[in-house]
Amino acid sequence: MMKEEMTLSFPLKSEFMTTVRLATGGVCSLAGLDLDESEDCKVCVTESLLILKRNGYRAATLTFAADAGLRVCVRGAEKSEATPSDEDEISYALLGALVNGLDLEKQDDCVAAIGFAFGS
C-alpha cells in the first residue's frame, strides 16, 4: 500500500474546530479506523490544537499520513505570546492515554508540534 498524505492549514480559531473534526473523521474512515479509534483521533486532534493555541500559536498545519494505520502531525504556525495553563497537563495525560507513540517537539520551551498514530 502506498503512503498517502493530506495537509490542512488554518487559523487556530474556534469557528474552524468543527470543520477540522469533520475532516479528521473523514480521513479516519478512509484510513480504515473503527468508530472508537476515529473518535479518539478526533479528541486527540482537538486537544493538540488547544495545546498549540495555549502555547501562543495563531495557526496550525495538520498532516494525516495513511500507511497501515494513520499518523497525525499537528504543527503550530504564526507564534505569538503564550498563555500558560494548567489545562495543558490534562491534555497531555489524555493524549498519552489514547495514542500510540506520542511525539512532542519543543521549540523555546514551548510545544511546537505533536505527533501520534492510530491503527497498525
Side-chain angles (χ1 to χ4, degrees):
M1 177 182 186
M2 183 177 84
K3 180 178 176 181
E4 297 181 345
E5 286 190 2
M6 182 175 107
T7 301
L8 302 170
S9 296
F10 51 92
L12 280 174
K13 295 183 177 180
S14 299
E15 53 267 25
F16 287 95
M17 292 299 186
T18 300
T19 302
V20 170
R21 284 182 63 86
L22 288 169
T24 299
V27 170
C28 288
S29 178
L30 288 172
L33 300 184
D34 65 29
L35 184 60
D36 288 337
E37 288 175 315
S38 294
E39 288 302 317
D40 288 349
C41 186
K42 289 190 285 187
V43 167
C44 290
V45 166
T46 302
E47 290 298 323
S48 297
L49 293 171
L50 291 172
I51 289 168
L52 292 176
K53 188 172 184 176
R54 290 189 298 258
N55 278 272
Y57 291 96
R58 294 188 306 252
T61 300
L62 179 59
T63 302
F64 299 99
D67 184 19
L70 182 64
R71 180 90 185 133
V72 181
C73 181
V74 185
R75 182 171 299 282
E78 300 178 27
K79 183 92 163 98
S80 65
E81 204 60 34
T83 307
S85 173
D86 292 336
E87 293 178 33
D88 282 355
E89 292 306 315
I90 296 167
S91 293
Y92 293 134
L94 185 57
L95 288 168
L98 294 176
V99 303
N100 300 322
L102 179 63
D103 295 319
L104 299 175
E105 180 183 313
K106 291 192 173 191
Q107 186 175 9
D108 300 324
D109 291 329
C110 285
V111 172
I114 301 166
F116 49 87
F118 283 93
S120 303

